[in-house]
């Protein structure tokens, strides 16, 4: 909550000015019943029509003044709510982008989406309403009580005696409501997750005729949200009937006591009418306060969820770690893993004792079964996670000692299931980096994407649909590879990025990388041996451990698992073509 409160500090002067205007308008509102009582008791008996009209004009002036001041104050409150929520949402989005992969896994993506949308919306409503009604309602209550004490102290005591009971009702149900609304938001997170999964996988759902199954799954989560919302709403809804009951009882007592006092000549008729008007104003203000507490309860729950993200510590901090002493550049390892072990869930290791080194310009191929840890090696190299044991170094520098911006600038990367954005072909390759046009065009050529780009009606200005739905799998992969190459990276990471390419295109791509990116160190994760058999070094992963490491020929000779994969993939004419292509690559480097 302190973190959220800090976002309102820059707007304190504007809020104070708004409060002053709102206070003025509310005080003017409180004069109207008093003027009415004065007219009934003192002006009307005189039968002086011009004087009645004059006081009536004064009531109209008060009503108009109250309206104008409230409009001005409400506009100022809306601007504060808009601007502060915009800053909160911006900083929250920025923080989400800076979270480590481990923190993202902990919060979960659906929850982060929910915090950026529904939680910030709850805050926006609360900030605006608290300024508009949170100021006006208490002034009406306190001002109304003060005026009624002056006007009719005996009747005012009835109202004062009710205040502690009403305060207890508000406090009790607000305390119960905050955890209920927190649970509701957690269930909304689940709902967002299911919706995202269904929208993302809608083609698979339809293809496998699982529409009814997904409807049932969504129905279950939707029912949980409805049940949580019902419980929270019913709990908070009890405040209105209880408050109404207390106030109605007070109103009955006021009428009864007032009737006796008028009959005894202790109170004037106009004062009773004014008192009932003030009582109605106070009643309405108190009901407004109860609704504000419902909104405040939601906002507190949302603020806690937002603050949890904003206050999340930077768990991948830059540390002072001594680098390896300088040595001969030709012998220096560009990338090295030294006894690296890592576990996502901190139970069983996903990677176990991984060690290897690459010189600048070398190519490493990584192959293994699904879940063997291939992509995890790339994530550790980019420092999305820190290893549990061992160290990873680039140019002899431990990753933990390299600032994030410097580290990430070294990479060009294509991940599994990478994202193409709803934008032009050119912008998807440039990706907001402002790269020279020649870099974009040459990268598309190196990635074997130029041919299909030129075949599009608008070429590089052709619009790509969200997630590249108007591209084939191979076209999408070549576009993503072009994006990785356009920045002329020092280290190129390709994570199963050519799985949708035919063998001929894959071969041309690898030849292009060898010819045009000789100085870039390349790590290629693949399922096909043909994609990595040309590499200077190949790692065969098996259940998170290195089952074999060496050149293609060395693994064929020494690694049983690698031989089995080779035998299963390299059959018939395809094997001959690949072997001939591989031999050509060896001749031309």
């Amino acid at each position: 909550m302190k973190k959220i409160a800090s976002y309102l500090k820059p707007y304190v002067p504007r809020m104070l000015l708004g409060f002053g205007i709102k206070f003025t308008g509310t005080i003017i509102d409180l004069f109207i019943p008093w003027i009415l009582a004065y007219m009934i008791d003192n002006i009307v008996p005189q039968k002086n029509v011009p004087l009645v009209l004059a006081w009536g004009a004064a009531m109209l002036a008060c009503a108009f003044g109250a309206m104008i001041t409230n409009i001005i104050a409400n506009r100022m409150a809306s601007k504060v709510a808009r601007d502060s929520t915009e800053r909160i949402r911006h900083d929250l989005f920025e923080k989400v982008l800076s979270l480590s992969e481990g923190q993202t896994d902990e919060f979960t993506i659906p929850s982060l989406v929910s915090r950026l949308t529904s939680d910030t919306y709850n805050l926006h409503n609360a900030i605006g309403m608290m300024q508009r009604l949170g100021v006006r309602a208490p002034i009406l209550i306190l001002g109304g009580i003060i005026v009624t004490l002056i006007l009719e102290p005996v009747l005012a005591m009835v109202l004062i005696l009710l205040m502690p009971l009403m305060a207890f009702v508000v406090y009790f149900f607000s305390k119960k409501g905050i955890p209920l609304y927190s649970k509701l938001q957690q269930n909304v997170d689940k709902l967002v997750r299911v919706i995202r999964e269904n929208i993302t996988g809608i083609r698979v759902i339809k293809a496998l005729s699982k529409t009814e199954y997904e409807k049932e799954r969504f129905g279950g989560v939707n029912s949980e949200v409805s049940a949580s919302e019902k419980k929270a709403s019913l709990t908070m809804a009890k405040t209105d009937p209880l408050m109404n009951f207390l106030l109605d009882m007070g109103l009955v007592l006021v009428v009864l006591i007032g009737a006796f006092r008028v009959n005894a000549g202790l109170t004037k008729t106009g004062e009773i009418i004014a008192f009932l008007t003030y009582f109605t104003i106070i009643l309405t203000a108190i009901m407004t306060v109860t609704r504000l507490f419902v909104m405040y309860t939601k906002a507190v729950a949302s603020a806690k969820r937002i603050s949890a993200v904003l206050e999340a510590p930077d768990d991948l901090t830059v540390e002072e770690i001594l680098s390896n002493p300088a040595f001969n550049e030709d012998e220096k390892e560009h990338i090295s893993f030294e006894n690296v072990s890592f576990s996502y869930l901190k139970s069983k290791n996903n990677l176990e004792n991984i060690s290897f080194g690459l010189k600048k310009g070398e190519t490493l191929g990584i192959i293994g079964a699904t879940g063997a840890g291939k992509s995890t090696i790339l994530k550790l190299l980019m420092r999305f996670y820190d290893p549990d044991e061992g160290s990873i170094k680039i140019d002899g520098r431990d990753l933990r000692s390299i600032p994030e911006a410097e580290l990430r600038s070294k990479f060009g990367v294509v991940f599994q299931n990478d994202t193409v954005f709803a934008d032009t072909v050119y912008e998807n390759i440039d990706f907001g980096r402002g790269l020279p046009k020649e870099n974009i065009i040459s990268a598309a050529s190196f990635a074997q994407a130029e041919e299909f780009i030129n075949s599009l009606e608008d070429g590089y200005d052709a619009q790509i649909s969200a997630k590249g739905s108007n591209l084939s799998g191979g076209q999408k992969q070549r576009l993503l590879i072009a994006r990785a190459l356009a920045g002329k990276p020092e280290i190129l990471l390709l994570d199963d990025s050519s799985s949708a390419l035919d063998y001929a295109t894959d071969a041309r791509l690898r030849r292009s990388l060898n010819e045009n990116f000789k100085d870039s160190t390349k790590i290629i994760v693949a399922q096909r041996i043909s994609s990595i058999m040309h590499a200077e070094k190949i790692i065969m992963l098996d259940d998170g451990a290195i089952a074999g490491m060496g050149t293609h020929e060395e693994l064929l000779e020494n690694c049983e698992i690698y031989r089995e994969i080779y035998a299963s993939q390299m059959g018939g004419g395809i094997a001959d073509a690949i072997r001939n292509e591989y031999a050509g690559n060896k001749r031309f480097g």
Side-chain angles (χ1 to χ4, degrees):
M1 289 298 293
K2 289 182 180 179
K3 184 70 174 178
I4 298 300
S6 66
Y7 284 93
L8 296 176
K9 285 184 179 179
Y11 305 101
V12 168
R14 193 192 303 179
M15 291 169 69
L16 290 175
L17 179 59
F19 292 164
I21 296 171
K22 178 70 74 172
F23 178 83
T24 303
T26 306
I27 295 300
I28 293 173
D29 255 341
L30 288 171
F31 273 115
I32 295 174
W34 183 85
I35 295 173
L36 177 62
Y38 182 78
M39 287 177 64
I40 293 173
D41 292 335
N42 299 288
I43 304 301
V44 173
Q46 297 179 26
K47 298 182 181 180
N48 187 333
V49 175
L51 201 56
V52 170
L53 292 176
W55 280 97
M59 289 180 68
L60 286 174
C62 287
F64 184 76
M67 180 187 72
I68 294 299
T69 52
N70 277 320
I71 288 173
I72 294 171
N74 288 347
R75 285 173 61 86
M76 294 178 69
S78 296
K79 288 179 180 179
V80 170
R82 177 198 66 195
D83 295 345
S84 57
T85 307
E86 182 182 14
R87 289 184 62 233
I88 291 170
R89 192 180 291 116
H90 175 274
D91 288 357
L92 181 59
F93 181 75
E94 188 175 38
K95 182 67 177 183
V96 166
L97 293 182
S98 69
L99 292 175
S100 69
E101 290 291 301
Q103 290 173 315
T104 302
D105 295 341
E106 182 180 347
F107 284 116
T108 75
I109 290 176
S111 179
L112 293 173
V113 171
S114 180
R115 293 170 205 237
L116 273 163
T117 51
S118 61
D119 284 320
T120 54
Y121 177 74
N122 288 341
L123 272 185
H124 177 270
N125 282 343
I127 293 170
M129 294 299 288
M130 285 297 175
Q131 292 177 86
R132 294 199 295 271
L133 299 176
V135 175
R136 179 177 170 80
I139 294 172
L140 286 174
I141 294 171
L142 294 175
I145 291 172
I146 292 170
V147 174
T148 53
L149 279 169
I150 296 171
L151 193 66
E152 181 51 74
V154 175
L155 294 179
M157 292 305 297
V158 176
L159 183 61
I160 292 172
L161 290 173
L162 289 174
M163 297 302 291
L165 290 173
M166 292 186 285
F168 173 76
V169 169
V170 171
Y171 170 78
F172 177 77
F173 285 103
S174 296
K175 189 174 182 180
K176 290 189 68 174
I178 291 174
L180 292 176
Y181 280 114
S182 295
K183 185 177 180 182
L184 171 61
Q185 288 303 115
Q186 291 171 6
N187 286 329
V188 169
D189 293 346
K190 294 180 185 178
L191 185 69
V192 172
R193 175 176 57 80
V194 172
I195 291 172
R196 289 182 74 254
E197 289 173 349
N198 275 266
I199 292 174
T200 304
I202 191 166
R203 294 180 182 178
V204 177
I205 292 168
K206 289 180 177 180
L208 298 178
S209 301
K210 287 294 181 182
T211 303
E212 292 302 318
Y213 171 79
E214 290 300 327
K215 282 181 181 178
E216 291 179 10
R217 192 161 75 98
F218 176 81
V221 178
N222 195 25
S223 296
E224 287 183 22
V225 173
S226 298
S228 297
E229 188 167 17
K230 180 180 178 181
K231 187 174 181 180
S233 298
L234 286 176
T235 299
M236 299 306 295
K238 293 174 185 176
T239 56
D240 276 359
L242 285 171
M243 297 293 280
N244 274 324
F245 173 76
L246 292 172
L247 290 167
D248 288 344
M249 289 298 294
L251 189 59
V252 170
L253 289 173
V254 166
V255 172
L256 289 174
I257 296 171
F260 282 111
R261 289 181 64 79
V262 169
N263 189 51
L266 299 173
T267 303
K268 297 177 182 179
T269 305
E271 291 176 347
I272 292 297
I273 293 173
F275 190 93
L276 290 174
T277 304
Y278 280 118
F279 199 92
T280 304
I281 290 173
I282 294 169
L283 182 151
T284 304
I286 290 175
M287 296 306 298
T288 299
V289 169
T290 61
R291 286 191 288 272
L292 283 174
F293 268 99
V294 173
M295 184 174 292
Y296 174 77
T297 303
K298 288 183 179 180
V300 168
S302 294
K304 287 180 178 179
R305 286 160 50 83
I306 292 172
S307 295
V309 178
L310 291 174
E311 295 173 1
D314 295 329
D315 61 346
L316 298 180
T317 55
V318 178
E319 303 175 19
E320 290 291 336
I321 300 174
L322 294 176
S323 302
N324 286 349
F327 49 88
N328 189 297
E329 186 68 27
D330 293 333
E331 298 177 359
K332 188 176 182 179
E333 288 183 336
H334 189 198
I335 298 172
S336 66
F337 276 57
E338 300 173 5
N339 303 313
V340 170
S341 296
F342 174 74
S343 171
Y344 288 104
L345 301 178
K346 307 309 174 189
S347 51
K348 179 185 177 183
N349 280 342
N350 297 91
L351 288 178
E352 184 74 41
N353 197 31
I354 303 297
S355 297
F356 65 85
L358 290 174
K359 292 182 181 179
K360 191 172 182 63
E362 284 189 330
T363 299
L364 170 69
I366 304 176
I367 192 168
T370 301
K374 305 184 296 296
S375 299
T376 303
I377 289 178
L378 304 190
K379 291 177 181 178
L380 291 175
L381 179 58
M382 294 193 70
R383 210 193 173 197
F384 290 163
Y385 302 90
D386 275 339
D388 298 327
E389 298 177 16
S391 63
I392 304 170
K393 297 176 182 177
I394 294 179
D395 290 329
R397 297 172 64 191
D398 194 295
L399 290 191
R400 291 169 293 179
S401 67
I402 304 176
E404 181 180 306
E406 180 187 347
L407 176 65
R408 300 286 163 78
S409 67
K410 297 177 180 291
F411 296 100
V413 59
V414 182
F415 292 112
Q416 273 183 317
N417 306 316
D418 219 335
T419 303
V420 174
F421 295 90
D423 209 329
T424 62
V425 170
Y426 187 95
E427 289 301 328
N428 263 287
I429 297 175
D430 181 48
F431 205 51
R433 292 174 287 182
L435 299 173
K437 187 174 182 179
E438 54 268 24
N439 282 28
I440 305 296
I441 295 173
S442 60
S445 175
F446 299 150
Q448 312 303 308
E450 191 173 36
E451 182 180 350
F452 93 79
I453 292 173
N454 291 333
S455 69
L456 299 174
E457 184 176 350
D458 296 320
Y460 285 89
D461 293 323
Q463 191 70 27
I464 304 299
S465 300
K467 297 186 178 181
S469 58
N470 59 339
L471 299 178
S472 69
Q475 289 173 335
K476 190 189 301 184
Q477 284 190 335
R478 282 178 281 170
L479 193 65
L480 292 168
I481 294 170
R483 179 194 294 170
L485 300 179
K488 298 182 178 179
E490 179 183 325
I491 301 170
L492 181 62
L493 308 179
L494 302 177
D495 188 357
D496 203 18
S497 60
S498 59
S499 57
L501 303 184
D502 59 80
Y503 283 99
T505 304
D506 190 17
R508 290 197 300 271
L509 170 64
R510 285 183 276 110
R511 191 177 298 115
S512 175
L513 294 179
N514 288 337
E515 293 172 355
N516 299 291
F517 291 87
K518 292 180 180 179
D519 293 332
S520 295
T521 305
K522 297 170 278 293
I523 299 180
I524 301 173
V525 171
Q527 300 285 352
R528 301 190 308 209
I529 282 183
S530 61
S531 298
I532 60 168
M533 59 194 298
H534 64 287
E536 286 90 350
K537 190 174 292 184
I538 300 171
I539 290 177
M540 179 70 229
L541 280 182
D542 183 32
D543 196 23
I546 296 178
M549 182 165 58
T551 63
H552 173 65
E553 292 87 354
E554 290 170 346
L555 288 175
L556 281 179
E557 183 177 347
N558 302 317
C559 183
E560 180 64 29
I561 301 175
Y562 189 84
R563 278 200 302 271
E564 290 175 0
I565 295 174
Y566 180 80
S568 65
Q569 292 184 0
M570 304 300 176
I574 293 178
D576 294 335
I578 291 173
R579 277 190 289 270
N580 291 336
E581 190 273 327
Y582 170 70
N585 274 347
K586 295 292 284 184
R587 276 200 307 277
F588 296 108

